[in-house]
Amino acid sequence: MSSPFLWGTASAAFQVEGALSEDGRAPSVWDVFAARPGAIRDGHSPAAACDHYHRWSEDVDLLDRLGVNAYRFSIAWPRVVPRGSGAVNKAGLDFYDRLVDALVERGITPLPTLFHWDLPQALEDAGGWLARDTSKAFADYTAVVADRLGDRVGRWITLNEPVVHMAYGHAFGIHAPGRTLDVPEVLRVAHHLLLAHGLAAAELRSRGLEALLTNNLSPVRAPEHATDADLAAGAAYDALHNRLFTDPVLTGAHPDLSAFGVPEVPGVREGDLDLISGSVDGIGVNYYNPSLVLAPEEGSGLPFALGEITGVPTTAFGWPVVPEGLTETLVGLTDRYGSALPPLYVTENGCSCRDEVEDGRVTDPERIAYLEGHIAAVDAARERGADVRGYFVWTLTDNFEWAEGYHQRFGLVHVDHATQTRTPKDSFARYRDIIAARTAVP
Ligand code: GBH
């Protein structure tokens, strides 16, 4: 019997857990970055987040009521190996052990992510992702977690959206660790992330476990009456955003990065690309929106510029709502990589939107429309031959949205951050009904 399509929600440790200095957890780069004046909108603090570290059981009950058969969450490296390498914190492992047991008891398949941007600060102090040793430390941490949970968890995601962590965290400085490196050093970070994935995948596979890599993918749109310069910019953006972390794992080679003026990716040693090549048993796709790419302004320092997609609805974050872009992404991967492509999982999709809270009811019609449109877009991709095995809504509970603090609400469940009261929104009921209809046994 083939395994059932996975219907789930997705979350990340730093965005929900809180309890940042409890039970032996050490600071991550996000703890330190969030304390910088001006780093987080209105100075919102991640200290409590959704208090999931204490309320995990209530959150598992919500998943049960939602009727999902899968749950994507992330494991906080600084809880498990507080200094990044070396001593293991048993209390940290115990937390995820209890969570996994509770999920499995309810028939919910756990899909953990090993790195969702919360690098132990001790490793950052030793060079972070600019240091090759960080990749090795990631593999050692992966082995520790896999040894503890591998009897109940068969499928793992190594990294979440390495391109976003690379660009926002190491080039633009708007995410932790807040670095603004030049292009070659940013590409060195990319290589060490890829190497970390490859080494971790080897650890997982040697234990009979599957390794997935999750990327943020955004199909490129050209402006009307595009010039050759616009199209060249689109190709450069596509190479950087969509292919930098996908080509090497599927084809063993980097995309053409010549537009970035760097002859080769720094830090690549002999054998690295062989290790990385073919290192995935699945590709996770986080899809939010397409990108309009234009020729750069002179002297911008980048070979592309980003424009604004108009004529479509936008989310509360201002992101354009274009469900067909998800079909295009899934079918595009299928066409581009052919037989080298493993199964696909939509590991994140969702939106922030206005919530009206009234008499204990939270109405969010825009989120319902967003989800219906994007689930239909997955159906369309499967009809066109894309091998999609799961769909995960970002996210279960309104949470700490990185530099936006608590301003953007992506949850199916409303969270009052003063009281931690959880209230399922109308979209919760709608997603529950969609799942129920599609998983009903005839
Ligand atoms: C994901 O990142 C993260 O994995 C997750 O932690 C986060 O909470 C969630 O999404 C929601 O943000 O400028 O209009 O073209 C998403 C990465 C990068 C996707 C910025 C949308 C730009 C939109 N995002 N991108 S636009």
Side-chain angles (χ1 to χ4, degrees):
M1 208 181 86
S2 68
S3 35
F5 190 85
L6 299 179
W7 291 100
T9 67
S11 71
F14 193 78
Q15 296 180 266
V16 298
E17 287 181 358
L20 298 182
S21 44
E22 263 178 67
D23 295 343
R25 182 188 179 280
S28 76
V29 291
W30 266 99
D31 300 50
V32 174
F33 180 76
R36 281 193 196 176
I40 311 296
R41 192 169 150 201
D42 289 340
H44 284 179
S45 160
C50 304
D51 196 32
H52 171 76
Y53 190 73
H54 300 113
R55 294 169 201 256
W56 60 273
S57 167
E58 186 182 347
D59 291 339
V60 172
D61 286 344
L62 284 166
L63 289 169
D64 196 29
R65 281 170 58 193
L66 187 56
V68 292
N69 59 7
Y71 177 54
R72 175 176 178 233
F73 60 98
S74 87
I75 293 174
W77 185 351
R79 268 193 209 289
V80 174
V81 186
R83 296 196 54 78
S85 64
V88 173
N89 177 32
K90 187 176 167 300
L93 274 176
D94 289 347
F95 172 72
Y96 299 105
D97 198 271
R98 288 193 293 273
L99 177 63
V100 163
D101 274 348
L103 292 168
V104 171
E105 245 167 60
R106 288 166 176 80
I108 301 172
T109 300
L111 179 59
T113 303
L114 288 155
F115 180 67
H116 200 124
W117 308 347
D118 46 358
L119 188 77
Q121 180 64 32
L123 286 183
E124 180 64 21
D125 294 340
W129 289 111
L130 285 166
R132 190 175 167 98
D133 286 350
T134 298
S135 311
K136 173 74 171 69
F138 180 68
D140 293 345
Y141 146 70
T142 297
V144 166
V145 182
D147 281 340
R148 180 71 183 266
L149 305 179
D151 57 337
R152 285 152 289 160
V153 178
R155 192 177 289 121
W156 298 71
I157 295 168
T158 56
L159 313 177
N160 178 69
E161 298 187 355
V163 78
V164 175
H165 187 59
M166 173 195 87
Y168 285 37
H170 297 81
F172 309 146
I174 55 175
H175 277 188
R179 294 189 188 242
T180 49
L181 303 169
D182 59 15
V183 173
E185 293 311 287
V186 169
L187 291 176
R188 186 188 302 279
V189 164
H191 180 59
H192 290 151
L193 284 163
L194 272 170
L195 184 62
H197 161 79
L199 292 167
E203 292 292 344
L204 293 168
R205 287 170 151 192
S206 73
R207 289 165 175 77
L209 307 172
E210 282 186 21
L212 277 58
L213 175 63
T214 279
N215 288 302
N216 180 262
L217 299 179
S218 180
V220 171
R221 296 284 155 92
E224 245 189 295
H225 315 297
T227 62
D228 286 349
D230 290 325
L231 297 178
Y237 181 81
D238 192 46
L240 188 77
H241 190 91
N242 295 322
R243 297 176 56 186
L244 182 57
F245 293 93
T246 313
D247 279 15
V249 298
L250 296 177
T251 72
H254 290 109
D256 177 6
L257 299 167
S258 55
F260 294 87
V262 181
E264 58 189 26
V265 176
V268 181
R269 296 193 189 162
E270 201 173 324
D272 285 0
L273 283 171
D274 291 335
L275 174 90
I276 292 160
S277 179
S279 61
V280 280
D281 303 298
I283 290 284
V285 174
N286 290 357
Y287 174 78
Y288 289 91
N289 55 260
S291 298
L292 179 68
V293 184
L294 318 163
E297 311 266 314
E298 228 165 296
S300 85
L302 279 173
F304 60 83
L306 293 172
E308 205 176 305
I309 293 176
T310 53
V312 297
T314 52
T315 71
F317 219 141
W319 301 350
V321 178
V322 186
E324 317 82 78
L326 179 52
T327 308
E328 190 181 326
T329 297
L330 297 166
V331 173
L333 288 167
T334 307
D335 293 346
R336 178 186 286 278
Y337 297 107
S339 61
L341 188 71
L344 302 174
Y345 299 82
V346 178
T347 42
E348 278 181 36
N349 175 241
C351 67
S352 63
C353 66
R354 277 172 298 280
D355 291 322
E356 306 291 340
V357 189
E358 217 183 314
D359 301 330
R361 177 163 175 214
V362 188
T363 43
D364 56 344
E366 288 155 336
R367 180 169 294 103
I368 290 176
Y370 186 98
L371 296 179
E372 288 176 345
H374 287 78
I375 289 169
V378 174
D379 291 339
R382 296 175 82 189
E383 273 158 31
R384 289 171 57 186
D387 182 9
V388 187
R389 305 279 179 98
Y391 174 86
F392 294 75
V393 171
W394 183 271
T395 181
L396 181 67
T397 49
D398 291 338
N399 60 39
F400 182 75
E401 176 53 34
W402 308 115
E404 287 284 307
Y406 301 102
H407 284 292
Q408 304 296 338
R409 294 181 172 271
F410 279 83
L412 297 171
V413 176
H414 180 275
V415 176
D416 176 336
H417 292 292
T419 62
Q420 295 294 352
T421 303
R422 280 118 161 97
T423 308
K425 304 177 189 177
D426 283 358
S427 58
F428 181 97
R430 182 68 189 115
Y431 189 43
R432 180 195 62 207
D433 292 348
I434 292 174
I435 297 172
R438 287 165 174 250
T439 54
V441 184

